[in-house]
Amino acid sequence: MPTEPSWPEWGAFPPPEKYFEKDYFTGMQGEMHAGEILDSVCGPDVERHHEQRTYEILRCHPCLAIHAWPLPSEEALARFYTERFYQQEKPDYVERYERDRPWWTACVHMPIIDTCARALALDSDTTQPRVLDIGAGPGIFLDCAKRQRNWDTTGIEPNTALADALTSRGHRGWHGMLGEERTTALWESVATLQPHIVMLYEVLEHQICPETLLLNCHDIMADNGLLVVVVPNDYNPLQFAACAQHALLPYWLAPPQHLWYFTPKC
């Protein structure tokens, strides 16, 4: 049975203290954001090296989503993922994924790959679809697609070392981010590829504008292709219960790494 949405889900009535509370912000391109501030959290300031800043978590009515404020510039965010994310924020990121590779392979990526094969009605022995993994990270999804299915695999990754590692394992490893600028060499390569499957595994929440990335994926995909999107389910009842029972702060808030906080209704 479907349940009624609960705050801060869309369609839920706000609590009394939030009913008349609205804050208004203007973005770098003049876009308007307005809504209720749910939380405030401290995180790295990607516009200024080695500094911290406060981010507001906004239940934004124009966006119909929950996101951090302020949203960084595209250049600053690219620099953050190239120079700081793996080096300082998540130094053991790749090591942890490699340690858990059997679980990621059997429980996450192969079920997704098998579902994609069924959806595209692929003959695994003769068909070699083109797969693009945006934000490929350690590349476990691409490894599964190539080793288990012999698919044509490409990964885009903002970290140079990880992009090079993809290439060393037999994938096309492209360094960069698929931003708004469509005249870059990366864009030309992606547009030529025309992938049949585009994977966004826990990538959308890292974007400055998720809608732009989704539209970009639509434009580069082959006809009748598949877009696979996985995002965290944040501000959910289990998280609230954990915070109440263990006296935790909202542990899922992590700007500027996670800029958007998706809920089922969103």
Side-chain angles (χ1 to χ4, degrees):
M1 290 289 292
T3 59
E4 289 295 317
S6 58
W7 178 264
E9 271 275 36
W10 300 104
F13 287 105
E17 67 272 14
K18 295 285 187 182
Y19 202 82
F20 295 105
E21 178 186 310
K22 295 288 186 297
D23 286 273
Y24 299 86
F25 304 93
T26 303
M28 294 181 180
Q29 307 300 321
E31 72 276 14
M32 293 299 299
H33 300 269
E36 300 86 7
I37 293 177
L38 303 178
D39 290 289
S40 296
V41 62
C42 187
D45 187 343
V46 297
E47 305 289 346
R48 298 177 177 86
H49 291 297
H50 310 299
E51 293 188 18
Q52 297 284 304
R53 68 157 303 131
T54 297
Y55 293 88
E56 310 291 355
I57 308 301
L58 181 69
R59 184 181 184 267
C60 187
H61 291 235
C63 296
L64 292 178
I66 299 170
H67 64 77
W69 185 265
L71 294 168
S73 66
E74 191 171 293
E75 295 77 15
L77 193 64
R79 187 170 59 245
F80 173 78
Y81 281 107
T82 299
E83 302 174 0
R84 181 166 177 172
F85 179 72
Y86 293 105
Q87 296 89 334
Q88 299 180 35
E89 303 297 322
K90 301 282 187 179
D92 62 341
Y93 183 92
V94 175
E95 179 185 344
R96 287 190 291 107
Y97 271 77
E98 287 298 335
R99 185 170 62 243
D100 296 334
R101 177 181 282 266
W103 181 86
W104 283 105
T105 296
C107 299
V108 178
H109 295 311
M110 283 311 301
I112 291 175
I113 288 170
D114 292 341
T115 300
C116 290
R118 290 193 297 271
L120 293 174
L122 297 177
D123 181 342
S124 61
D125 295 328
T126 60
T127 306
Q128 191 182 41
R130 295 180 296 277
V131 180
L132 175 64
D133 188 1
I134 299 177
I140 298 176
F141 172 76
L142 294 177
D143 290 342
C144 292
K146 177 168 285 292
R147 296 171 184 174
Q148 304 297 326
R149 290 278 186 167
N150 195 33
W151 288 355
D152 183 285
T153 50
T154 302
I156 297 177
E157 171 54 43
N159 182 270
T160 305
L162 290 184
D164 291 344
L166 294 175
T167 301
S168 71
R169 298 206 301 277
H171 314 294
R172 295 183 198 88
W174 292 341
H175 170 250
M177 297 177 70
L178 205 61
E180 295 185 9
E181 179 57 57
R182 296 195 175 197
T183 60
T184 63
L186 176 61
W187 250 107
E188 293 176 4
S189 299
V190 171
T192 302
L193 182 67
Q194 289 195 310
H196 301 94
I197 300 168
V198 175
M199 166 65 97
L200 298 176
Y201 193 95
E202 296 191 348
V203 166
L204 212 57
E205 65 273 16
H206 295 260
Q207 304 303 303
I208 298 169
C209 181
E211 182 181 13
T212 296
L213 180 57
L214 292 174
L215 291 172
N216 288 343
C217 291
H218 173 271
D219 291 345
I220 64 175
M221 289 175 64
D223 292 342
N224 300 315
L226 289 178
L227 175 62
V228 181
V229 179
V230 178
V231 295
N233 174 19
D234 287 322
Y235 282 96
N236 68 66
L238 183 61
Q239 290 173 329
F240 288 139
C243 289
Q245 183 171 345
H246 300 288
L248 301 174
L249 295 174
Y251 56 88
W252 57 93
L253 301 178
Q257 299 170 29
H258 287 193
L259 296 170
W260 295 78
Y261 300 90
F262 297 103
T263 61
K265 190 79 172 180
C266 167

